């Protein structure tokens, strides 16, 4: 596997569909981790793109919740409580006692669990959306292929947010 100079895995130029989708998802996961690296706790908690209250720490927590939602709740049909408690459904709310190490461990745990649940699945295997969300998609059944593509775009969008926040926090750009 090739990597960027900063250590992120480069998705292959030619690969089967599943390999390609998972490689791009892993690239974007690594990008979010990179955006948070080398910062102090107060910097990770800084809402630096006014008027938004979004923080880098909040993005990590949010993506833990997103991973849980799509792979465990939707794809595997499991009933799971929110990663960071019932009062934090989207994961963005910060707690003074929860720092990056704990949030990263929770996020990585959700990534690992999602990989376990989808390892033997076909891209055509489906999970089920809650009724209220199915209206947006047009179907309650949703394929693993759709979920993987959605996860790539979800990370890409939030990595754009992370770029802006990181630049405001300490001037670091790129990646």
């Amino acid at each position: 596997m090739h990597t960027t100079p900063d250590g992120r895995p480069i998705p292959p130029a030619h690969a089967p569909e599943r390999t390609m989708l998972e490689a791009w998802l892993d690239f974007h996961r690594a990008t979010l981790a990179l955006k948070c690296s080398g910062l102090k706790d107060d910097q990770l908690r800084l809402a630096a793109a006014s008027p938004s209250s979004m923080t880098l720490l909040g993005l990590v927590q949010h993506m833990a919740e997103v991973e849980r939602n799509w792979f465990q709740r939707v794809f595997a049909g499991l009933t799971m409580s929110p990663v960071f408690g019932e009062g934090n459904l989207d994961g963005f709310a910060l707690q003074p006692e929860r720092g990056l190490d704990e949030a990263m461990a929770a996020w990585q745990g959700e990534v690992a669990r999602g990989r376990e649940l989808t390892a033997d699945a076909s891209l055509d295997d489906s999970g089920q959306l809650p009724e209220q969300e199915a209206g947006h998609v047009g179907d309650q059944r949703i394929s693993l292929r759709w979920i993987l593509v959605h996860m790539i775009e979800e990370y890409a969008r939030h990595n754009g947010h992370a770029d802006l926040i990181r630049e405001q926090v300490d001037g670091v750009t790129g990646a």
Side-chain angles (χ1 to χ4, degrees):
M1 174 191 319
H2 292 74
T3 59
T4 61
D6 55 37
R8 290 174 297 150
I10 297 174
H14 303 278
E17 182 181 19
R18 172 91 181 239
T19 302
M20 186 72 72
L21 290 171
E22 289 176 344
W24 275 106
L25 183 52
D26 286 342
F27 173 83
H28 283 292
R29 287 169 172 152
T31 299
L32 180 57
L34 178 67
K35 287 294 168 187
C36 296
S37 68
L39 294 175
K40 296 177 184 157
D41 188 67
D42 63 323
Q43 293 173 307
L44 292 161
R45 295 171 184 277
L46 185 62
S50 183
S52 174
S53 62
M54 189 179 296
T55 66
L56 290 169
L57 181 56
L59 279 171
V60 171
Q61 292 180 173
H62 174 66
M63 292 313 297
E65 185 59 46
V66 169
E67 292 272 354
R68 177 172 284 186
N69 184 62
W70 286 103
F71 294 115
Q72 294 184 56
R73 292 186 191 113
V74 173
F75 186 73
L78 302 174
T79 301
M80 303 292 297
S81 61
V83 178
F84 298 104
E86 294 297 331
N88 195 1
L89 298 178
D90 62 9
F92 281 114
L94 304 181
Q95 297 296 319
E97 68 280 357
R98 184 183 318 110
L100 184 61
D101 290 345
E102 183 181 340
M104 283 287 222
W107 174 46
Q108 293 303 319
E110 295 303 318
V111 169
R113 183 67 177 132
R115 284 185 174 130
E116 288 172 23
L117 292 169
T118 60
D120 296 327
S122 159
L123 291 175
D124 294 321
D125 288 347
S126 293
Q128 188 162 327
L129 286 170
E131 232 176 274
Q132 67 271 19
E133 292 179 36
H136 301 294
V137 178
D139 195 336
Q140 209 165 356
R141 302 292 297 162
I142 194 150
S143 72
L144 178 57
R145 177 182 289 103
W146 191 100
I147 292 169
L148 290 172
V149 170
H150 173 67
M151 291 296 291
I152 292 165
E153 68 84 16
E154 180 86 4
Y155 272 98
R157 182 168 55 96
H158 285 312
N159 282 338
H161 299 138
D163 282 340
L164 295 172
I165 295 169
R166 180 68 190 247
E167 185 175 5
Q168 286 294 328
V169 167
D170 70 353
V172 170
T173 61

